Amino acid sequence: MSEDLVSTLGLIANAATAIGLFFTAIQVRQGSRTSQGQFLLTLDQQLSTFDDIYLRLRAYHEAGKECEALNADELLRVREYMGFLEIIEILIEGKSISEGDFRAIFGHRVVALRNNRQVREEILAAAPHKWVKFSALSQRMSQ
């Protein structure tokens, strides 16, 4: 085989490999978008398990009023909710989910928690070292 033929075949092989990688990247990206969409739907279902607290805080938050005092059981429930949301911060930090998508769909949940005086004083200020990830998520949602 001549050197020119070998060189031409090498270029064709490289071009075919590049085209294959391009189409693979497109498929992975589409699969990733589908996976993120499925994840967001699952996240919505998981977050709905905290609707008892969320709806109460949201009603007052949207009215611009202070929520009636939460009792000890409700504060425990708020801590569980905040702990769940800390996982979201870890996923955003690892770029497993889009910060923008989370903010657009669920950011108001974090803001409603953060804007509650009792949550700020009795949970966040009382033990800030326990809520580092929630505080980081809260910062993200306020930007």
Side-chain angles (χ1 to χ4, degrees), residues 14-25:
N14 287 339
T17 301
I19 291 169
L21 288 173
F22 176 74
F23 283 111
T24 300

Side-chain angles (χ1 to χ4, degrees), residues 21 60 94 110 129:
L21 288 173
Y60 287 94
V110 178
H129 60 284

Side-chain angles (χ1 to χ4, degrees), residues 102-114:
F102 179 83
R103 180 186 294 114
I105 300 169
F106 305 111
H108 61 279
R109 288 176 168 265
V110 178
V111 172
L113 278 164
R114 181 195 64 225

Side-chain angles (χ1 to χ4, degrees), residues 25-43:
I26 289 172
Q27 289 175 332
V28 167
R29 188 176 205 178
Q30 288 173 340
S32 177
R33 287 181 183 159
T34 300
S35 294
Q36 178 148 332
Q38 290 171 338
F39 175 79
L40 291 172
L41 289 172
T42 301
L43 180 58

Side-chain angles (χ1 to χ4, degrees), residues 14-136:
N14 287 339
T17 301
I19 291 169
L21 288 173
F22 176 74
F23 283 111
T24 300
I26 289 172
Q27 289 175 332
V28 167
R29 188 176 205 178
Q30 288 173 340
S32 177
R33 287 181 183 159
T34 300
S35 294
Q36 178 148 332
Q38 290 171 338
F39 175 79
L40 291 172
L41 289 172
T42 301
L43 180 58
D44 185 50
Q45 292 171 343
Q46 293 295 319
L47 284 170
S48 71
T49 64
F50 297 101
D51 277 354
D52 54 324
I53 291 297
Y54 162 66
L55 293 173
R56 183 162 176 212
L57 293 176
R58 180 181 171 182
Y60 287 94
H61 171 71
E62 287 181 353
K65 297 179 182 176
E66 213 32 68
C67 183
E68 295 173 13
L70 300 166
N71 66 37
D73 289 338
E74 290 169 324
L75 285 173
L76 178 60
R77 188 86 173 116
V78 167
R79 285 181 186 91
E80 291 172 1
Y81 184 24
M82 291 168 60
F84 181 82
L85 289 168
E86 285 189 309
I87 296 168
I88 301 306
E89 174 60 20
I90 293 166
L91 293 172
I92 291 172
E93 287 174 356
K95 304 206 183 302
S96 295
I97 62 170
S98 160
E99 176 183 339
D101 288 346
F102 179 83
R103 180 186 294 114
I105 300 169
F106 305 111
H108 61 279
R109 288 176 168 265
V110 178
V111 172
L113 278 164
R114 181 195 64 225
N115 287 347
N116 181 273
R117 181 191 49 77
Q118 194 175 6
V119 170
R120 283 191 319 270
E121 292 174 5
E122 295 182 33
I123 298 175
L124 292 170
H129 60 284
K130 292 182 178 180
W131 300 106
V132 173
K133 294 296 182 187
F134 180 83
S135 294

